Amino acid sequence: MGVQHVLIVEDSPVYRRLLSRMLTQWGYVVSEAENGVAALEILQNQPVSLVISDWEMPEMDGLTLCREIRSRQFGHYVYVILLTAREDPGDLTLGFDAGADDFLSKPVEQGELRARLHAGARVLSLEATLAARNARLSEALRQIEQDLEVAARIQQSVLPAHRLRYRDYFSDWIFLPSAWVSGDIFNVFPLDNHLGFYCVDVSGHGVGAAMMSLAVARQFLHGRAVERFLFTGDNEVASPSEVVRILNSRFCSDEVEIVSYFTMIYGVIDLATGEGKLCQAGHPTPFIVNPAGEVRTVGHGGAPVGLMPDLSWSDVNFTLAPGERLCLFSDGITECENPDGEQYGEARLQRWLQEGATLALDSLLPQFAQHLIHWRSGDCEEQRTMADDVSLLVIEQTGEKI
């Protein structure tokens, strides 16, 4: 640590000078103060690492000085030894509570003082080492947070635009990750004369789940533009269940070391007729809300993707009429617990979207996001973050009936 700078705080000039000469002979850099007020001034302006202070002093005694040292930030730890003639254990307790590190009885014996200074030096060395390690950890944490911010922006860039329109169809969404990045991913995109859509929820949380969700999103991008497995050999739009089967075979292959499975909905809607098909693979069952606020579900279960090979799925047919909304959501909504441990549930979600059936989506969904956050946290600001990733995608048929 180099030469230590010691501050002697003592109202007796004779005793102060005696201690100062002793410490100087031992190789310490020494400063002197006659009371606590003068000591704080020195501490504020000089790199003092160790203080030897009398307990009884005018203006500011040693006990008050200890409290002031502990309440202020000097950029490093200051080791405090109190000099006292007191022997009552209760007084020592007061000293430790005030922030003293050690005590010496007056009059001070040289050998004991030197031993206490060496003990203080070891503590200060440990404090300096810990501070350096904490600084490195803080820098590493800052770098990790910067990387996660970039990862979050990359993941957000994969999501569709808000207030998206395709001919007579309008879509909007909410996305509330439980951490920087999310295992939820979804999209809406044109697919020949159809509208394609998917919602994915990878098991687990954090970076691993987020990377898996991006891998699934990449498969859909390649399936449209490169490998075109979203189409049949006749260039027709492929069955959603066949697409899910292909994805399952890929994520269960020996070449992909998958560490988690995922649930999903994949579907297509004929842009001309509103007739659609979707495949449900372990994901919560979607539902359709009509302008009158009536609800009907679309789906009948199915296994998640990536659990085991050679599984099969089936399609569910539906029609999205003018004014109707197809609602797809992750279980981060239905399993969201309030401070009392009660889950939000599917019935509340359906009721909220039923009651808002006549409101514009770009107004309704932000309101629902705030509603769900309040459900989660109540009046507790510390619980405003979600326990699980939350996503809700709504597709509305806005055109006139053909």
Side-chain angles (χ1 to χ4, degrees):
M1 287 186 59
V3 179
Q4 286 185 322
H5 191 157
V6 181
L7 171 62
I8 299 172
V9 190
E10 168 64 63
D11 59 318
S12 167
V14 174
Y15 204 71
R16 189 170 68 243
R17 184 55 54 87
L18 177 66
L19 288 173
S20 178
R21 287 182 176 177
M22 195 183 303
L23 266 64
T24 300
Q25 290 175 355
W26 293 342
Y28 293 96
V29 174
V30 180
S31 295
E32 300 179 23
E34 62 182 358
N35 57 49
V37 175
L40 288 174
E41 182 70 24
I42 294 172
L43 284 165
Q44 201 67 49
N45 296 289
Q46 298 186 38
V48 174
S49 57
L50 198 149
V51 172
I52 301 174
S53 175
D54 191 15
W55 186 310
E56 305 290 346
M57 294 182 294
E59 292 196 55
M60 181 185 291
D61 63 13
L63 210 62
T64 305
L65 174 61
C66 282
R67 295 192 185 100
E68 287 294 323
I69 290 173
R70 297 303 173 225
S71 68
R72 301 189 184 195
Q73 297 295 327
F74 298 110
H76 59 277
Y77 189 76
V78 177
Y79 192 89
V80 180
I81 299 174
L82 276 182
L83 304 179
T84 179
R86 301 174 181 229
E87 297 181 357
D88 189 327
D91 289 333
L92 297 183
T93 300
L94 284 175
F96 280 123
D97 289 344
D101 295 289
D102 204 350
F103 295 88
L104 273 174
S105 298
K106 296 178 72 173
V108 174
E109 195 274 321
Q110 288 192 30
E112 187 177 5
L113 173 60
R114 198 163 191 174
R116 299 299 175 89
L117 289 172
H118 285 162
R122 287 195 296 271
V123 171
L124 289 170
S125 178
L126 290 172
E127 288 285 348
T129 301
L130 182 60
R133 289 177 179 175
N134 285 342
R136 290 195 295 270
L137 287 173
S138 296
E139 176 60 25
L141 179 60
R142 187 187 66 81
Q143 184 61 55
I144 290 171
E145 289 180 343
Q146 288 180 348
D147 292 344
L148 286 173
E149 286 180 12
V150 172
R153 288 198 295 271
I154 291 172
Q155 189 174 44
Q156 289 271 358
S157 71
V158 177
L159 300 178
H162 279 291
R163 298 178 291 279
L164 198 60
R165 290 189 179 275
Y166 289 108
R167 298 190 194 176
D168 294 333
Y169 292 84
F170 178 85
S171 71
D172 211 347
W173 47 270
I174 62 171
F175 177 64
L176 303 172
S178 60
W180 287 98
V181 288
S182 168
D184 285 10
I185 202 83
F186 51 88
N187 212 335
V188 181
F189 49 89
L191 199 65
D192 193 19
N193 58 346
H194 287 70
L195 186 67
F197 58 88
Y198 65 81
C199 290
V200 170
D201 182 1
V202 178
S203 65
H205 305 286
V207 174
M211 294 303 97
M212 181 62 70
S213 72
L214 289 175
V216 179
R218 181 177 179 272
Q219 287 289 321
F220 275 101
L221 182 61
H222 275 229
R224 292 161 56 194
V226 181
E227 303 169 71
R228 292 182 64 80
F229 66 82
L230 300 189
F231 298 90
T232 66
D234 298 329
N235 210 33
E236 298 292 330
V237 173
S239 160
S241 58
E242 175 62 15
V243 171
V244 172
R245 186 196 65 78
I246 292 172
L247 289 174
N248 185 67
S249 67
R250 294 186 176 188
F251 283 97
C252 282
S253 73
D254 293 335
E255 297 177 1
V256 178
E257 296 183 2
I258 187 168
V259 294
S260 60
Y261 62 88
F262 55 92
T263 67
M264 67 175 297
I265 300 286
Y266 171 59
V268 294
I269 302 172
D270 190 309
L271 289 169
T273 66
E275 295 178 354
K277 293 181 179 181
L278 65 78
C279 178
Q280 182 183 12
H283 210 70
T285 303
F287 57 88
I288 293 174
V289 180
N290 68 21
E294 298 168 337
V295 170
R296 65 182 187 276
T297 57
V298 184
H300 46 59
V305 178
L307 281 177
M308 55 190 300
D310 303 323
L311 293 177
S312 62
W313 289 263
S314 59
D315 293 329
V316 175
N317 296 319
F318 65 93
T319 300
L320 198 63
E324 291 188 332
R325 294 169 172 175
L326 174 63
C327 307
L328 307 108
F329 57 96
S330 67
D331 60 11
I333 295 178
T334 54
E335 296 178 3
C336 179
E337 294 185 353
N338 66 10
D340 295 326
E342 182 183 3
Q343 292 191 344
Y344 190 76
E346 188 173 331
R348 285 189 178 89
L349 173 61
Q350 290 184 357
R351 186 162 57 249
W352 179 277
L353 296 178
Q354 282 177 295
E355 293 172 352
T358 59
L359 293 177
L361 280 182
D362 52 359
S363 173
L364 176 65
L365 295 188
Q367 291 180 36
F368 176 73
Q370 292 303 312
H371 164 73
L372 190 66
I373 290 171
H374 186 265
W375 166 269
R376 159 74 176 159
S377 63
D379 297 325
C380 180
E381 290 294 322
E382 296 179 357
Q383 285 190 318
R384 290 184 67 82
T385 55
M386 295 292 116
D388 193 5
D389 302 320
V390 165
S391 58
L392 171 61
L393 172 65
V394 181
I395 302 170
E396 180 177 23
Q397 219 276 52
T398 61
E400 296 297 327
K401 185 175 180 61
I402 299 176

